[in-house]
Amino acid sequence: MQVNENTNFEPVIVAFCCNWCSYAGADLSGTNRLNYPTNVKIIRVPCSCRVNPMFILRAFQRGADGVILCGCHPGDCHYTSGNYFTRRRITLLYSMLDFLGIERDRTRLEWVSAAEGAKFAATMQEFTDAVRKLGPNRRLEDLRCRKQ
Amino acid sequence: MENNAVFTYYPGCTLRTKAKDLDAYARSSAEALGITLVEPENWQCCGGAYTTAKDEIATKLSAVRTLMAARDSGRALVTVCSACHNVIKQTNYDIARDEDMARKVNSYMQNETPYTGETAVYHYLELLRDVIGFDKLKAAVVNPLKGKKIAAYYGCLLLRPSKALAMDDPENPTIMEDFIRAIGAEPVIYAQRNECCGGYITMEDKAQASKRSASVMDSAKDMGADMVITACPLCLYNLKKNSGSELPVYYFTEILAEALGLKKEDTDE
Amino acid sequence: MQEAMINKAKQLLADGTVNRVMGWKRGEFVYDITPAVFETAEEIDADFVCDDFTAANVSKYLVKESRKEGKILAFLKPCDTYSFNQLVKEHRIVRENVYVVGIPGGPKLDAEKIKAKGITGILCVKNENGTLKIDTLYGEETMPYYEAILGKCETCKSRKHVVYDELIGEEGEVITAEDSGRFDMVEKLENMTAQERYDFWREQLSKCIRCNACRNVCPACTCENCVFDNPASGISNKAAADSFEENMFHIIRAFHVAGRCTDCGECSRVCPQNIPLHLLNRKFIKDINAFYGEYQAGEDTTSRAPLNNYDKDDCEPSIVHERGVE
Amino acid sequence: MQRIGVFVCHCGTNIAATVDVKAVAEALGHEPGVVISREYQYMCSESGQNLVKDAIREHNLTGVVICSCSPRMHENTFRKAAAAAGLNPYLVEIANIREQCSWIHKDIASATEKAVILGKAAVAKVHLNAPLIAGESPVVKRALVIGGGIAGIQTALDIAEAGFDVDIVEKQPTIGGKMAQIDKTFPTLDCAACILTPKMVEASQNEKIHIYSFSEVTDVKGFVGNFTVTIKRKARYVDETKCTGCGLCTEKCPMKKVPNEFNMGLDNRTAIYIPFAQAVPKVATIDPNYCMMMKTGKCGVCSKVCSVGAIDYKQEDKFIEEKYGAIVVATGFNPINLDKYDEFAYNQCADVVTSLELERLMNAAGPNGGTLLRPSDKTHPHTIVFVQCVGSRCDDEKGKPYCSKICCMYTAKHAMLIREKYPDTEVYVFYIDVRTPGKNFDEFYRRAVEQYNVHYIKGMVGKVTPKSDGKIDVQASDLIANEQLHINADMVVLAAAIEPDKTARPLATMLTTQMDTNDFFTEAHPKLRPVESATAGIFLSGACQGPKDIPETVAQGSAAAAKAIGLLCKNSITCNPCVAHSNELMCNGCSACEKVCPYGAITYQDKEFRMPDRTTAIRRVASVNPAVCQGCGACTVACPSGAMDLNGFSNSQIMAEVDAICK
Amino acid sequence: MSDKLKEQILRSSGSNVLKCMRCGKCSATCPSYDEMEYHPHQFVYMVEKGDIEKLMSSDSLYKCLTCFACVDRCPRGVEPAKVVEAVRLAAVRRQGNNHLVPTDIPGMLDDDLPQQAIVTAFRKYTK
């Protein structure tokens, strides 16, 4: 895949954030008036372990260019152990996507606490930049699900 | 720290001229302690003082050349002069962290393999502490300096900036005191041991240099020292020449050699 | 072997240990073998078969059969016992209702591979010192035996039965990954570039016609209601309509059975399009082994499945980035 | 047919300045099922809420989407409003267009576009929302207070006053905490012990309060109203129920050279000890690191002199399990370690002390019986230098970024007390800023300057040099005079920064509460919910939440108690209805969900089902106990058949959001 | 001009002068304090204000020993010595503004003076 020359490319980025840490961290980055790109749209989930790998595949199929999942730091899960399961599931999913030849930088798992507003903003900026560099997601998108 | 007994050794220009003792005793002591020091060919002056300015690249190149020589030899780099150590260590620290600086330096020098701070840099004292070990040094002492009350003078160069030098606690260092204990003498703790003697301005501003060095020497004397030791030719000169103090000042390598029974009267000028 | 099994089946039916027998029977052709349930000695004498083509894993059928009245006899090859155990562990098979007789495993033969040699009208096959002698309607044909072996048997993982009530024949050993070479192809793919991997899988998965054979044969796919058939799951999709097969179906299926798949190889065996689906499952198995320690699904009925388990020091997903080729 | 109402909030200019709210309302008005789309200045105001309520009634709405601030702020507000208008509260969805849109972005066009997409996702989700009815779970009428300092004591007393049982777990042998070590309190200069010790006694005598001293919390399970806590009762080698606190053992113990932690190591205690005279419980404790009997098996003096036979060298740690409805954290603070600040020579000179050490030096029960003497030679100091902000307000790895808040005032107190008692002593205070926001605080500080003639110098100390004559050279800057000073001092007092107790971090993990980067517990809302943690049923008292002085700590302790009482008063609490549920028709009974449930909320039963072929079959199916389930959703992903789903965050709802965002 | 100069100083020093909380610890710790017209904290403050010309023409530039005591002890990570060095460099870089003139050197030498003293002086005071 060639790097997209079209400078107008605005990636669609879906961010799943756990309600207790990362979603609060995202709120904090807002409260502190930090910046990250508008491309990032957050979906609130009670815990990162609520995120079924199907959701991530679904997002790609429907045209997302990047999917990031954020949860509490290991050991800090509001539900004690949820993020540990997340870590296993997502590690295997990412490995499988890689195995299928999907670009690695399109998916990411990050631990962001409720106190890490700055980390949240920086992570989103970084991730958006990385996805922008990759260009549009063509390998997993279903053209029939596309707009227009 | 790796336990490799062969090190690349950088003496620096002053050790070739005014501070031959510092050099000679460092070499003979290392040999006695089972350490091989290999001097790189064609080394250059370290630059004397580290320029912290980010827009100064040329002044950092000679230190980088030395660091690269050590890297290419596959050995860690050992220095003994505090000033050289400070310059080389700061250069190494900055080039490892400041990508912009590393890029400029490498393109300026047209390096085939860019240098990014991979060489480990040790001061001779660190060699004694971390490679040989003060316990082993103590065992090797044949002529313990019993009853001598020795004040270690660190000055500024060995300890600061502490992030880059990372040798010891910058406010309460122990490496030289432990060294003094290892050779059988008694260390004297005094507050000015990590304050500047005014070495850099010793040529240009005698008045300030003597004020600073006097303050160091008075502080050491006040706490009951018989002598002061240092790792720095500039400090040695300044403390001896400008402080007006009677207290003798020696290089630490000299008393090391003495304790190891290596000191020859003819080299002691 | 077939003889011994038939005698055993009839004996157990006669003494009332079981009231049914799970085995195989022949279809239209000698190589057209399907699992079947027999209730009488007569049925067994008439149709029971166990030969070089009886490769089908019968454990999945026991999910339903074990819930019926009475006990059923099941002949399980070593690979089938793993599937059986896994289903017992998941409370899908009622263990008390099955009498397990372990039988020796393969290698079994792949009729497609014989037919690919232009040999048709197969009546009977026989291995003679590495040469496969094939009686056909048109006379005797031969081919090298190893060329006719089923793909799943080429990389056999175990000749040992992990569960049985009784054993016919000799017990074998577990085969190491190095000896079986079952991860070799996965490894080869891992070492390709991302583009090559993508191209490989596009080519393979685009062949999928969504016949659902892989799902229907899979012993791990025993859901009461499959997510692909369930409109409420949000991913229901019953036919090949868009790129769903390439992008979603097989990944989701592989993920659903991850940590539960025993690597029985049935999915690839039944695929009419010859898609190497087992490679997806093996990729998960290989990753699980590498990330979380060796784990063989079905080896026992008590250990926690790797995806329902965790360790505080598990690796982060970034390990994927640190390894292999982009 | 869905009838959805969309309400877009301006939040004054908080949203409206960067998001074109009119355009958002307009765009969302065209979404399928949306019958009304309005914008308003402040949706959370009473008239804003009325707007929503009226629309629900007027348009007979089946779902509501509020585009406003974070659901963490006002989700409940709008759910209540919906309920008041007769709509099930769980048919409300919030699109977060403030914290996650208008405050993040600067460009109006793209921020508006994003707000519309977030709104569409919420509309897509609300289409699939189901009305939910919250269940109830019982409340255990007992509270746990972790930490027995003034914060914990106050909280426990208040909870007990309201008639509930309350347990205090204190890791030290006595309750009292830091306040017990303090000499006098600002700005009134009354004796700390005189006001604290009666409260300690009150706590010990209150029938409703049980004190677990020398104990630690090791495990916490459960949830609001129903926590199960494991408490480790550390072996003190003395039977608490027998010991009368007579103190004979401490007099006779031959091991007298143990650094006395209560006096900050400034003097020694015995191996068997009672921390101080007014300790509660007044029970001896053996320090096994120093006790000769424990170390060598030879001695046994304490056992011999104890008339009640309380000594038990064989005692072991005990673990007990208790149930609580509410937990209050009151783990307090400690001064930081000053190893990294040796330019002040703390490790090199005995006469450089911390403020807390000075408290002990000045205390009548301290090492010098209340006479201020230099630790090195027990002489009277004539010149004392105070250094402020040692480790506070730092932007480096060594210190803390925050202001420790209490130092300015206690230093003024120290200075004043010294000048009052020893008028011949000169006192210098080097300060960066003097911070005195509190009732009578600035007046207090001014008194130190004007009445007691304490020398306040704007500047910082750079180097402290101990000299051979025992004096200390203090080199400092005077920024107002623009000069460098050298003060020939006898003592230097460092106002060390304070930090949360080290036990707080593992405790937070056990409680699944959040902490900030400095390890202070995070409150549920910085302004509106200052004593609650974000985890229901866990409350915060005192300095574990941030630096505080005594009056603030007591106020917060009482506030935390009030919140805990509010919870304990209820016989049952409304459960979060966003819990998992299993579709029995699809369940395989495979136990995957049970394995990942952290609460043990899932059980299995064999049920008879009619099969399509009219036979019946018995199947093993999962069921979720809604009172125990906390709604994490781990089971929904573990479930292979998709039988397990989560109310409020169902598979189809989340996928609808995904689709709306990707569209 | 002043803005440009300030920008140059900030870039060259790598210091963020806005972090300064005016505690004065740099000046409290400076061994050359009494020799200086402008003290370390003033360097930081005056650079922040853009009041740099005064610093450029002050002898204080040559009194700093570059001993890094202020750098190590600054609680805010401002690194005043680097600010001083940046201003000094800006000063000596100006045409004919070398602080050390080679012809002066012989008069300063003595037999024991180490070479590095001369090298260092040139490094620091000339361009």
Side-chain angles (χ1 to χ4, degrees), chain A residues 1 53-54 57-58 81 84-85 87-89 95-96 98-101 104 109 111 139-140 142 144, chain C residues 195 197-198 202 234-235 242-243 247 280 287 292 306 309-312 314 316-317 323 325-326:
Chain A
M1 165 152 316
M54 282 188 329
L57 294 172
R58 169 75 158 228
S81 55
Y84 289 127
F85 294 118
R87 185 160 61 182
R88 285 204 168 183
R89 291 165 184 162
S95 184
M96 178 52 78
D98 181 53
F99 189 62
L100 295 169
R104 288 170 178 175
L109 175 67
W111 310 124
R139 291 185 181 172
L140 272 181
D142 188 328
R144 278 150 289 213
Chain C
Q195 184 67 49
R197 287 197 296 269
Y198 179 71
R202 271 295 126 151
I235 52 159
D242 51 27
S243 62
N247 293 337
L280 296 175
D287 280 349
Y292 312 122
N309 204 355
Y310 66 88
D311 190 284
K312 285 180 176 154
D314 278 342
E316 296 288 330
R323 303 180 325 152
V325 195
E326 166 73 71

Side-chain angles (χ1 to χ4, degrees), chain D residues 554-568:
Chain D
V554 171
Q556 209 208 9
S558 286
K563 285 285 169 188
I565 293 163
L567 170 59
L568 298 176

Side-chain angles (χ1 to χ4, degrees), chain B residues 17 54 171 204-205 208 237, chain E residues 12 32 63 99 110 115:
Chain B
T17 51
K54 294 201 178 298
E171 302 297 351
E204 206 254 340
D205 189 344
Q208 200 191 344
Y237 167 81
Chain E
S12 168
S32 293
K63 300 297 177 191
H99 181 65
D110 67 56
Q115 281 67 13

Side-chain angles (χ1 to χ4, degrees), chain D residues 284-519:
Chain D
T285 304
I286 295 179
D287 186 336
N289 296 321
Y290 291 94
C291 171
M292 296 310 289
M293 189 65 187
M294 308 280 295
K295 283 173 71 180
T296 66
K298 291 188 194 111
C299 182
V301 169
C302 48
S303 180
K304 280 173 212 139
V305 301
C306 182
S307 56
V308 294
I311 311 292
D312 176 7
Y313 300 113
K314 298 238 154 47
Q315 205 177 64
E316 283 179 357
D317 293 349
K318 263 195 314 205
F319 290 86
I320 55 169
E321 211 177 80
E322 282 282 356
K323 286 205 172 276
Y324 300 100
I327 297 177
V328 183
V329 182
T331 46
F333 72 95
N334 278 307
I336 63 165
N337 179 305
L338 291 178
D339 284 353
K340 298 249 173 74
Y341 289 94
D342 238 21
E343 63 265 37
F344 301 123
Y346 178 75
N347 288 324
Q348 299 168 44
C349 177
D351 299 325
V352 179
V353 299
T354 66
S355 302
L356 196 52
E357 287 164 5
L358 184 72
E359 293 282 355
R360 297 315 301 155
L361 288 173
M362 290 169 67
N363 191 292
N368 303 325
T371 313
L372 179 58
L373 299 174
R374 303 202 325 159
S376 65
D377 55 7
K378 307 281 179 205
T379 59
H380 171 57
H382 292 277
T383 305
I384 300 180
V385 173
F386 285 86
V387 186
Q388 300 291 277
C389 300
V390 177
S392 299
R393 307 168 67 188
C394 288
D395 192 37
D396 57 20
E397 303 90 73
K398 295 191 275 186
K400 304 289 175 187
Y402 49 85
C403 167
S404 294
K405 198 173 183 179
I406 55 176
C407 324
C408 286
M409 288 303 291
Y410 70 58
T411 298
K413 172 191 78 178
H414 289 154
M416 224 185 279
L417 289 170
I418 291 168
R419 291 284 296 159
E420 167 86 31
K421 214 167 166 190
Y422 311 103
D424 61 335
T425 299
E426 290 297 324
V427 174
Y428 298 86
V429 177
F430 285 93
Y431 70 93
I432 305 171
D433 303 285
V434 179
R435 294 180 167 172
T436 56
K439 192 172 167 186
N440 292 324
F441 281 15
D442 206 63
E443 296 90 320
F444 184 77
Y445 152 59
R446 290 315 306 166
R447 239 165 77 208
V449 177
E450 293 166 27
Q451 193 179 326
Y452 288 93
N453 210 358
V454 175
H455 308 298
Y456 269 81
I457 300 172
K458 160 90 184 141
M460 189 64 183
V461 171
K463 175 97 180 170
V464 172
T465 305
K467 296 192 295 186
S468 62
D469 61 358
K471 287 275 194 177
I472 304 168
D473 177 60
V474 178
Q475 179 182 314
S477 60
D478 179 337
L479 292 176
I480 308 283
N482 201 11
E483 63 185 13
Q484 197 177 61
L485 300 174
H486 284 269
I487 293 173
N488 200 23
D490 298 306
M491 266 183 88
V492 175
V493 184
L494 306 177
I498 59 173
E499 65 182 359
D501 191 83
K502 294 273 182 270
T503 58
R505 170 59 66 178
L507 185 64
T509 302
M510 280 187 250
L511 295 169
T512 70
T513 49
Q514 285 137 38
M515 285 189 142
D516 64 18
T517 47
N518 299 311
D519 280 6

Side-chain angles (χ1 to χ4, degrees), chain C residues 186-203:
Chain C
V186 174
E187 211 162 292
K188 196 174 147 195
L189 277 164
E190 284 171 346
N191 290 327
M192 291 181 178
T193 65
Q195 184 67 49
E196 284 166 347
R197 287 197 296 269
Y198 179 71
D199 293 342
F200 173 87
W201 284 112
R202 271 295 126 151
E203 196 195 326

Side-chain angles (χ1 to χ4, degrees), chain C residues 26-294:
Chain C
R26 200 164 278 159
E28 205 171 331
F29 307 104
V30 283
Y31 48 81
D32 184 12
I33 304 280
T34 51
V37 177
F38 305 88
E39 293 188 357
T40 63
E42 292 71 37
E43 285 173 27
I44 292 173
D45 279 333
D47 290 327
F48 188 97
V49 59
C50 180
D51 63 10
D52 287 335
F53 291 112
T54 50
N57 180 348
V58 296
S59 46
K60 183 172 184 176
Y61 296 84
L62 298 168
V63 172
K64 279 218 170 69
E65 289 299 329
S66 74
R67 293 176 198 205
K68 291 181 179 163
E69 270 306 302
K71 207 161 179 169
I72 185 166
L73 163 65
F75 291 108
L76 298 182
K77 303 189 297 297
C79 50
D80 303 344
T81 60
Y82 286 84
S83 306
F84 179 85
N85 238 4
Q86 181 65 26
L87 287 166
V88 169
K89 178 178 178 173
E90 292 173 12
H91 307 278
R92 302 295 290 153
I93 288 177
V94 183
R95 177 68 182 89
E96 305 82 76
N97 290 347
V98 185
Y99 190 88
V100 177
V101 173
I103 56 167
K108 301 290 179 180
L109 299 181
D110 187 345
E112 295 304 315
K113 285 187 176 175
I114 301 172
K115 285 195 261 178
K117 292 273 180 191
I119 301 168
T120 52
I122 306 165
L123 294 172
C124 177
V125 295
K126 205 153 121 212
N127 174 19
E128 279 180 11
N129 302 322
T131 304
L132 193 65
K133 295 224 163 119
I134 306 144
D135 279 342
T136 76
L137 287 170
Y138 318 104
E140 195 185 90
E141 301 267 4
T142 60
M143 70 181 285
Y145 174 68
Y146 68 88
E147 285 184 17
I149 290 175
L150 259 179
K152 73 171 194 172
C153 296
E154 285 174 346
T155 52
C156 180
K157 66 176 179 293
S158 175
R159 296 186 180 282
K160 185 185 163 196
H161 299 80
V162 287
V163 58
Y164 57 81
D165 295 307
E166 197 174 323
L167 209 54
I168 298 181
E170 276 187 20
E171 180 66 313
E173 295 284 322
V174 174
I175 302 166
T176 63
E178 291 78 56
D179 290 343
S180 71
R182 65 182 173 127
F183 296 121
D184 293 357
M185 186 58 194
V186 174
E187 211 162 292
K188 196 174 147 195
L189 277 164
E190 284 171 346
N191 290 327
M192 291 181 178
T193 65
Q195 184 67 49
E196 284 166 347
R197 287 197 296 269
Y198 179 71
D199 293 342
F200 173 87
W201 284 112
R202 271 295 126 151
E203 196 195 326
Q204 293 298 337
L205 295 180
S206 61
K207 295 191 293 194
C208 177
I209 53 171
R210 265 314 283 287
C211 67
N212 285 332
C214 51
R215 181 189 74 180
N216 295 349
V217 77
C218 177
C221 273
T222 66
C223 284
E224 297 291 329
N225 190 348
C226 175
V227 286
F228 296 115
D229 299 339
N230 173 11
S233 75
I235 52 159
S236 75
N237 176 300
K238 291 199 176 188
D242 51 27
S243 62
F244 187 79
E245 281 64 44
E246 287 96 315
N247 293 337
M248 304 271 289
F249 179 75
H250 292 291
I251 312 177
I252 293 174
R253 220 190 70 74
F255 205 94
H256 265 200
V257 301
R260 308 196 292 126
C261 167
T262 65
D263 196 11
C264 74
E266 288 285 274
C267 44
S268 293
R269 183 179 72 83
V270 301
C271 179
Q273 296 292 85
N274 291 320
I275 304 172
L277 293 166
H278 64 283
L279 292 178
L280 296 175
N281 300 326
R282 281 189 186 165
K283 170 64 177 166
F284 275 131
I285 293 170
K286 184 170 179 284
D287 280 349
I288 287 168
N289 286 345
F291 299 156
Y292 312 122
E294 294 281 328

Side-chain angles (χ1 to χ4, degrees), chain D residues 555-625:
Chain D
Q556 209 208 9
S558 286
K563 285 285 169 188
I565 293 163
L567 170 59
L568 298 176
C569 278
K570 295 175 185 161
N571 288 322
S572 64
I573 43 165
T574 311
C575 301
N576 170 19
C578 295
V579 292
H581 61 90
S582 168
N583 182 338
E584 289 175 344
L585 294 173
M586 284 155 62
C587 176
N588 299 338
C590 72
S591 279
C593 51
E594 179 198 25
K595 296 271 180 350
V596 299
C597 178
Y599 303 100
I602 300 168
T603 50
Y604 291 86
Q605 53 197 124
D606 288 327
K607 265 193 168 177
E608 209 173 88
F609 288 88
R610 274 184 87 94
M611 304 306 282
D613 58 3
R614 297 194 177 174
T615 56
T616 55
I618 293 179
R619 282 182 29 227
R620 183 177 191 266
V621 290
S623 68
V624 179
N625 179 348

